[in-house]
Amino acid sequence: MDRARASADRWVAGRYRRLQVIHQEDNLVSWSGEDAETDRPCLVQRIELAEHLGARGAREAAERVVEAHRRVGALCPSGVATVIDAMVEDGSLWVVTEWVRGTPLSELLLERGRLDRPRAARIGLGVLDVLEAAHEAGVTHGELSPGQVFVQDGDRVVLTGFGTAGTGSRPRLTAPSYAAPEQVRGEVPGPAADLWALGAILHATARGRPPASERSGPGGFDRPRPSVWPGAWGRAVRRTLRPDPRDRPDHETVRATLRRVAIGDGPGPSTTRSRAHDPCARAIPADGRRGGRAMLAGTALAAGTVTVVVLATAHGLPRSDGPAAPLPPRSSAPASPEVPGTPGPDSAAPSPGAESSPGVPAGFRTYTAREGFSVALPEGWRRIDTRRVSDLAYRIVFGTRGDPRTLAVTHSTRVGPDPVAVWRDDVEPGLMSASGYDRLGEIRATTHQGRRAADMEWLAEVDGSRFRTFGRGFLIGEGRGFSLRFTAPAGDWREPANEGALATFLRTFREPGGGPR
């Protein structure tokens, strides 16, 4: 390559030469390129940034892209483009990755107009696998569009564009037609927004255009009608395009539906996840499960209450929430906005003196959440999912890869005065639809650190495995309440490690501003 013969405006950082535009959409252009230092091909992408972002904000945006790709790539190495460099020049964010073999899905749709359903389902399954790994890593894509999906031989996929969501004042920088309704309203996107974007991509593969092109008004769009979108394919599209993010399905539900489409309409994946075609296969243990981690399936408001009830589960861990509540005031300190599935700037290291604090056994450390509560967690555990119900409630799930156990902490401001009645009337009706649900014994009135409380235990079955959950809900005054929920395989419930973990959670949990009572 002769550097002297290249036009100056086609170089980025004096190192990367842009050769040919391979994709273009609102605020995003992708080129094939060459790395002058290594003489290797590369992918160069330019994303326009908000003018007011400033030098510091632009630098942080570049750093965020590198970190997001690193985190997702650690779980899904062949499904994410490897970032070589990220920098800001002339008001644009430039991201350089290793060359991605394949064709942007946007270009396939331009050439062919539409894809047959089995092929679209296979591509959708690949995208879903990468998104699920991202959400497990605490990363929301937030900018997903056909231009960020590269389709390779065998319909394998590679995704680009992680880490750019939320840069600047807009919730979305590129491809606004694939923005979820909550992004159109100006809200910070979470994992549910990525599932909406996946549904919009599936819509585009079948109709040749995203659903946003059929918007009926600001922030709205014409919902796909069952008469136009029948069968499993229609269900996959309609469910992911539900306007309320709380009503969208979880990863596993979408995966099961897409598998039926791929299998029923033509050659496709088997009913068991195919490691040969899974972009995240190297990150999955031999048993085929992603470490037993739970991604909460979805939430609904119990009639007459704001109690959060989990209606389904993913990755084999039954889940439901009882007493729940609104967000405490956010700190005025600078911090990345927290969204569902994204860890906030919590205390990742042990709190000062935690190692010698009374009640914190060896192998545990005190975790202090930005919401203000604290609890001692096993070493290696971290926040793996966050869900919010408007300003009414939040739920945070803790766990770690390779450990099927989880702890869910839920906080709400509007719970009834009787903790037993909350479990019985608000929570249990939602649990009864879970496969193999069986309450163990009676709901027991008790106290928790001097507060009115109630305990409930139950079994549920997922994919042939039985799990047991212990839940304690307690009131903290002024209509507010917390619930702590520990879930583990039923066959291991009496293991000393599980009994010790549950006892430690109950003993060390401190509400915001609370100390030992």
Side-chain angles (χ1 to χ4, degrees):
M1 176 169 49
D2 185 354
R3 182 183 294 261
R5 292 169 55 189
S7 172
D9 64 0
R10 298 194 64 82
W11 289 91
V12 180
R15 172 179 171 179
Y16 308 102
R17 183 188 179 193
R18 291 173 286 154
L19 298 177
Q20 181 178 359
V21 173
I22 61 174
H23 168 74
Q24 188 167 2
E25 62 188 36
D26 292 339
N27 298 327
L28 171 67
V29 184
S30 300
W31 290 267
S32 60
E34 291 178 334
D35 183 344
E37 290 191 5
T38 64
D39 285 328
R40 291 182 177 178
C42 60
L43 176 70
V44 181
Q45 294 186 314
R46 183 186 70 196
I47 301 167
E48 296 180 14
L49 297 177
E51 294 181 359
H52 70 276
L53 195 58
R56 178 179 176 180
R59 183 175 64 253
E60 290 175 348
E63 293 172 351
R64 190 159 53 245
V65 167
V66 174
E67 174 62 14
H69 278 255
R70 184 195 65 78
R71 289 166 62 182
V72 181
L75 292 179
C76 196
S78 63
V80 182
T82 300
V83 173
I84 299 171
D85 208 346
M87 75 293 293
V88 175
E89 284 190 355
D90 301 325
S92 295
L93 172 63
W94 296 87
V95 180
V96 183
T97 72
E98 293 181 352
W99 177 244
V100 180
R101 297 184 183 276
T103 304
L105 178 58
S106 56
E107 302 308 304
L108 285 180
L109 294 178
L110 282 175
E111 294 172 3
R112 306 186 182 189
R114 303 178 183 184
L115 302 180
D116 64 76
R117 291 181 179 179
R119 187 180 189 195
R122 291 194 294 273
I123 293 171
L125 285 166
V127 173
L128 181 64
D129 287 339
V130 181
L131 290 178
E132 185 177 21
H135 299 161
E136 290 183 3
V139 175
T140 295
H141 193 294
E143 298 283 340
L144 187 64
S145 71
Q148 304 279 21
V149 179
F150 285 74
V151 181
Q152 301 180 316
D153 292 342
D155 293 331
R156 295 175 175 83
V157 301
V158 176
L159 267 57
T160 63
F162 286 101
T164 59
T167 299
S169 60
R170 293 170 294 179
R172 184 168 179 122
L173 293 174
T174 65
S177 294
Y178 291 87
E182 59 267 30
Q183 288 180 281
V184 176
R185 295 191 297 266
E187 299 173 14
V188 176
D194 285 345
L195 292 179
W196 196 97
L198 173 59
I201 289 173
L202 296 175
H203 184 289
T205 64
R207 298 289 294 272
R209 61 183 183 273
S213 65
E214 304 170 9
R215 290 191 190 277
S216 56
F221 65 97
D222 294 333
R223 295 280 305 280
R225 297 186 301 277
S227 59
V228 179
W229 295 83
W233 177 254
R235 287 195 297 275
V237 175
R238 295 197 310 272
R239 290 172 178 175
T240 54
L241 293 179
R242 287 170 176 164
D244 191 330
R246 295 169 295 174
D247 295 337
R248 292 171 205 152
D250 64 300
H251 304 88
E252 206 58 43
T253 300
V254 177
R255 178 176 291 110
T257 305
L258 290 178
R259 280 176 176 163
R260 286 196 292 272
V261 175
I263 296 168
D265 295 343
S270 65
T271 54
T272 303
R273 192 171 192 159
S274 171
R275 293 174 61 86
H277 295 275
D278 182 359
C280 309
R282 281 180 283 174
I284 301 176
D287 63 3
R289 297 176 59 189
R290 290 186 183 279
R293 280 180 199 225
M295 290 297 292
L296 301 184
T299 60
L301 296 181
T305 74
V306 294
T307 300
V308 180
V309 179
V310 176
L311 301 179
T313 63
H315 294 306
L317 293 180
R319 195 71 68 241
S320 173
D321 266 347
L327 300 176
R330 293 186 182 275
S331 167
S332 59
S336 301
E338 181 178 325
V339 297
T342 303
D346 301 302
S347 169
S351 301
E355 302 295 345
S356 58
S357 298
V360 179
F364 286 73
R365 63 180 183 178
T366 299
Y367 178 99
T368 302
R370 69 173 298 174
E371 289 81 2
F373 68 84
S374 64
V375 64
L377 299 174
E379 288 285 349
W381 279 37
R382 62 181 182 86
R383 177 190 297 231
I384 60 174
D385 192 67
T386 301
R387 291 290 168 123
R388 301 185 181 280
V389 181
S390 182
D391 290 329
L392 301 175
Y394 65 80
R395 183 199 299 108
I396 300 169
V397 180
F398 301 96
T400 189
R401 190 173 193 81
D403 188 339
R405 305 173 302 166
T406 59
L407 172 69
V409 176
T410 304
H411 177 224
S412 172
T413 52
R414 296 184 190 175
V415 292
D418 181 359
V420 172
V422 172
W423 283 116
R424 182 189 63 232
D425 301 334
D426 299 333
V427 178
E428 190 170 38
L431 289 169
M432 289 179 176
S433 61
S435 175
Y437 171 74
D438 183 19
R439 192 207 316 152
L440 300 175
E442 299 296 319
I443 301 172
R444 304 178 298 279
T446 185
T447 60
H448 179 83
Q449 299 175 6
R451 306 283 198 183
R452 291 189 64 191
D455 294 343
M456 187 172 95
E457 296 183 65
W458 65 90
L459 296 170
E461 182 174 293
V462 179
D463 294 334
S465 298
R466 297 283 279 174
F467 290 85
R468 180 167 175 171
T469 298
F470 172 94
R472 171 167 293 178
F474 56 96
L475 308 177
I476 61 174
E478 300 177 347
R480 297 173 298 147
F482 270 98
S483 75
L484 306 180
R485 199 149 318 186
F486 176 62
T487 297
D492 300 334
W493 187 256
R494 297 299 180 189
E495 292 291 331
N498 289 333
E499 293 183 340
L502 176 58
T504 299
F505 298 151
L506 296 177
R507 185 172 62 250
T508 62
F509 181 84
R510 296 291 179 265
E511 65 197 63
R517 299 184 61 84

